[in-house]
Amino acid sequence: MIDLVETFINKATLVSARVTVVKTRAAALEQAVALLAVKPPLELQMPNPGQKTADGDSLRIMAAPGLDDDDLNRLSGLCDAAGNITLLRKGMRDWPGGIDLGLTLADFGIAETGTLVIRSDREDVRLATMLCEVHVAILDIADIRDTALSMADELAAVTGRQGAYTAFITGASRTADIERVLAIGVHGPLELHIILVKGE
């Protein structure tokens, strides 16, 4: 298992992902809020509802669809304590101007390529990973697999359902379509942070 984790971290780092290892899910949520607290508010391309606080300070927007009630309550408390953070669980379509940080739970990691596999059947999960400047994905170390081929049965179960939408994310959004010059964040997040959770 140690080799798988090291391989995953190395491969993810090669595609500009930033990887952190923590002991618990609670620590992962704390890390996500800490990342957002030091991030400058995004520069809006169009207005978002409620983007300014009453005293005029810019809010930071965190989208966190797909969390269970315990994690959502814990995250909500952390955001309240940090201040100037609006936590969204749904309704991402109402924030077309952008989201500072999208927080998702990854179903699997593929060590060979440093890839995240995220069940994205819900539109809010898809939008949270695409409309944000920074994407933070939480992945349990126990869910890292060697290769996509070695998890063929698991992938078939995830993708084989009617209406299934599964995202394979490797690094931050990038393209070299325009004059073969690499551009980061054109079609999605500027940064990808992966928080690996060791578990109890």
Side-chain angles (χ1 to χ4, degrees):
M1 181 56 96
I2 292 173
D3 288 343
L4 274 184
V5 175
E6 288 178 359
T7 300
F8 181 86
I9 291 171
N10 289 337
K11 296 298 184 174
T13 302
L14 286 174
V15 290
S16 304
R18 299 173 191 174
V19 184
T20 306
V21 181
V22 297
K23 290 183 179 179
T24 64
R25 176 75 61 85
L29 297 175
E30 290 171 10
Q31 178 73 27
V33 172
L35 286 167
L36 183 53
V38 298
K39 177 196 174 297
L42 63 84
E43 186 177 321
L44 291 179
Q45 303 304 310
M46 60 191 308
N48 273 336
Q51 191 70 27
K52 299 282 184 181
T53 61
D55 59 7
D57 290 337
S58 292
L59 287 171
R60 288 170 179 82
I61 310 303
M62 177 187 283
L67 296 182
D68 65 26
D69 289 339
D70 289 340
D71 284 341
L72 187 67
N73 290 335
R74 182 177 286 121
L75 184 59
S76 181
L78 291 168
C79 289
D80 289 345
N84 287 349
I85 297 176
T86 296
L87 178 61
L88 308 174
R89 185 176 192 181
K90 58 185 178 178
M92 306 321 153
R93 273 183 180 255
D94 295 333
W95 296 82
I99 295 166
D100 290 279
L101 188 146
L103 176 66
T104 60
L105 303 177
D107 295 285
F108 297 103
I110 302 173
E112 180 182 47
T113 54
T115 298
L116 297 169
V117 179
I118 301 176
R119 240 177 268 175
S120 306
D121 299 347
R122 290 179 44 201
E123 181 185 62
D124 281 341
V125 173
R126 296 193 297 274
L127 292 177
T129 64
M130 292 186 290
L131 292 180
C132 60
E133 283 194 334
V134 176
H135 177 201
V136 175
I138 297 174
L139 173 64
D140 290 334
I141 282 177
D143 293 327
I144 296 176
R145 304 294 185 261
D146 187 21
T147 66
L149 186 59
S150 70
M151 58 181 294
D153 291 340
E154 290 170 304
L155 287 176
V158 170
T159 60
R161 295 168 289 114
Q162 185 173 1
Y165 189 111
T166 304
F168 290 74
I169 298 173
T170 309
S173 170
R174 59 185 62 223
T175 185
D177 290 348
I178 303 168
E179 297 182 4
R180 291 187 245 183
V181 175
L182 181 63
I184 305 292
V186 174
H187 303 298
L190 292 164
E191 296 177 16
L192 173 62
H193 293 259
I194 302 170
I195 305 177
L196 298 179
V197 178
K198 289 181 181 178
E200 303 299 335

